[in-house]
Every structure is written in C-alpha cells, then in structure tokens.
Amino acid sequence: MIDSPRLTNAILYVSGVTVSFDGFRALNELSLFLEPGELRAVIGPNGAGKSTMMDVITGKTRPDSGEVFLHGRHDLTKLDEAAIASLGVGRKFQRPTVFESHTVFENLELALKCDRRARYSLFARMSADQRARIDSILAEIGLADRAADRAGLLSHGQKQWLEIGMVLAQDPDVLLIDEPAAGMTDAETMQTAEMLKRISGGDRAVVVVEHDMEFVRALDCKVTALHEGSVLAEGTLDAVSADEAVIEVYLGR
C-alpha cells in the first residue's frame, strides 16, 4: 500500500462526511479531528449518527461524500475493514464478546497482533515479548489478578475490560469504544473511566461513545455532541451541557 503525502497532523481526520440510507441522512457534513494521545467522548440522542460515524471510520459503511484520513495519509474511505484494522483502528462494540471457556490470559493471547496462519498457530510458542505484552495489558485493564480465571466467571464490567484488552492486543493507534459503561456498577463505571484515561495518551487516541453523563464527566476530556448527523457542540462537558441547542435536543431542561 502506497501512502499519500501527510495532509494533517491529526491522527484521525473526518471532514464533511455525509451518509444517506434510503433518503435519510445518517451523517450530514460531519467533521471531527482527533489528535494523537487524545481521549474524546461523543454524546447525542439516539439517531444522532454516533454508530454510523464509527462504521465509516472502520470501513463498514462507505460515505456518500467527505474525507476520512488516518495519520494524515491513509484514505480510509478507499479501504476495507480488514485493511483499516491492520493500519491501527480498533473498535469495541457495546456488548462484550469474549471466549468464556478460555482464561483471561488465553483470550488476550488469541487477540495478540501476530501471524495467525495455521502453521504458526499450531507450532509457535509464545515469546517473552508476547508474554510481557499480555502482562502489560492485564495491568492496564485491571485484571492481572484474574489472568488464570475463565472469562465466563468475570462480571459484566470485567468482561468489558477484557474485550477492551483484546482490542489493545491488536496495538491500535485509534480505539473506538461504544458505551462501555452500560450495565456496569457504579464502582466499575469509575474504574472504567480511569482505565480509559490510562490507555489513551502517547500515540494512541481513544473515542468513547456514551450516554451516561456521570461517566463522561469522570473521563474529564473534550466532548463532541452530535445531532442529526452533524456536530452540534464541542468543548468541555460543562460548556457542552450549557449549550442551549444541546439542552433542547438531548439533555432536557
């Protein structure tokens, strides 16, 4: 794959993206720019375009128009899902899907970014670097003491953490996470916020789609509010929450 010249310093550049389904505009000239190391929360009512935005970024949906660039040079609108994932875009869906009969450690081992051809999988042994990588992820997601436990024994929140860890094992530069706090206890919700702050930073950026405003506040990050497929407001949570348009269409009075 030949890279285009670098067009922007943003790690993720979404500009003027429009997506229509049977005449309905799910995204309408959507623009969003994410810097390396940034943690961003995306909020908005149902139908605001949050899931479609992630579908476009990951290659599941092709936009009618607009640009989506990774690292300022990879045009994601021209690539399929596998190619986009290999370039460093990971996605965590709302419902956790882990291998419940395998241990936590084995789940992460299966997810590691490495050669998955049959010959390698049958005969290769885990290297010291791979083991160290898994240990590092276990520490990041707060499951080091559950490494030998079957994933099916974890709580709902812990399964969410494990699946985030499985995406991290693919070494993404951009991580998209859909409503991670859904169904969690209050304690798990706060632990999840702290974990997401830990795993963003450096060269990795994290986008979190969420409805729980207390969780968004705990993230302590820039917030983008969507409505009818466009950015309605952007800034701190306090600034976005005070925006009259956001109050009218989403938060209520």
Side-chain angles (χ1 to χ4, degrees):
M1 184 183 300
I2 299 175
D3 291 350
S4 302
R6 191 176 182 87
L7 302 176
T8 172
N9 289 326
I11 192 170
L12 182 67
Y13 176 88
V14 178
S15 178
V17 170
T18 294
V19 175
S20 298
F21 300 113
D22 297 324
F24 169 74
R25 282 198 170 188
L27 295 180
N28 185 17
E29 297 288 330
L30 175 67
S31 295
L32 181 146
F33 315 115
L34 199 67
E35 299 299 325
E38 184 177 352
L39 175 61
R40 178 78 64 89
V42 178
I43 65 173
N46 292 333
K50 303 182 298 294
S51 293
T52 305
M53 174 194 72
M54 292 195 290
D55 287 345
V56 168
I57 294 168
T58 56
K60 183 177 179 181
T61 296
R62 297 284 186 202
D64 302 327
S65 59
E67 298 178 320
V68 183
F69 280 91
L70 180 69
H71 293 300
R73 58 172 65 95
H74 303 290
D75 185 353
L76 302 188
T77 66
K78 293 180 169 55
L79 302 175
D80 61 22
E81 291 179 79
I84 291 172
S86 70
L87 284 172
V89 177
R91 182 175 184 178
K92 160 73 176 72
F93 290 88
Q94 181 179 350
R95 189 172 181 178
T97 53
V98 301
F99 301 104
E100 297 202 350
S101 62
H102 289 68
T103 68
V104 170
F105 190 96
E106 288 167 344
N107 271 267
L108 294 174
E109 181 183 1
L110 289 168
L112 277 177
K113 186 175 183 179
C114 60
D115 193 336
R116 290 300 176 198
R117 293 171 296 185
R119 185 179 185 86
Y120 180 93
S121 300
L122 287 172
F123 300 110
R125 293 183 179 180
M126 183 179 296
S127 69
D129 285 346
Q130 289 170 328
R131 183 172 293 276
R133 175 65 180 140
I134 291 177
D135 288 341
S136 174
I137 294 171
L138 285 167
E140 282 186 300
I141 63 176
L143 292 177
D145 60 342
R146 303 298 301 271
D149 294 343
R150 286 194 301 108
L153 299 176
L154 300 177
S155 69
H156 169 75
Q158 290 169 331
K159 288 177 182 176
Q160 294 279 30
W161 301 341
L162 176 54
E163 190 167 20
I164 290 172
M166 292 169 71
V167 181
L168 288 177
Q170 295 294 307
D171 201 23
D173 295 325
V174 175
L175 178 54
L176 311 175
I177 304 178
D178 192 2
E179 295 191 47
M184 287 188 177
T185 65
D186 290 343
E188 287 175 336
T189 297
M190 292 302 103
Q191 287 176 274
T192 302
E194 291 304 313
M195 178 189 66
L196 294 177
K197 287 191 281 188
R198 282 197 304 272
I199 66 176
S200 60
D203 292 329
R204 179 187 296 132
V206 178
V207 178
V208 182
V209 168
E210 188 53 69
H211 286 288
D212 185 333
M213 291 299 103
E214 289 305 310
F215 177 67
V216 173
R217 183 170 297 282
L219 291 175
D220 189 25
C221 66
K222 186 174 182 178
V223 176
T224 298
L226 301 187
H227 176 57
E228 295 183 347
S230 299
V231 173
L232 186 62
E234 206 163 63
T236 65
L237 179 60
D238 286 341
V240 169
S241 298
D243 186 281
E244 287 296 323
V246 175
I247 294 171
E248 184 70 27
V249 305
Y250 184 47
L251 298 177
R253 294 184 181 276

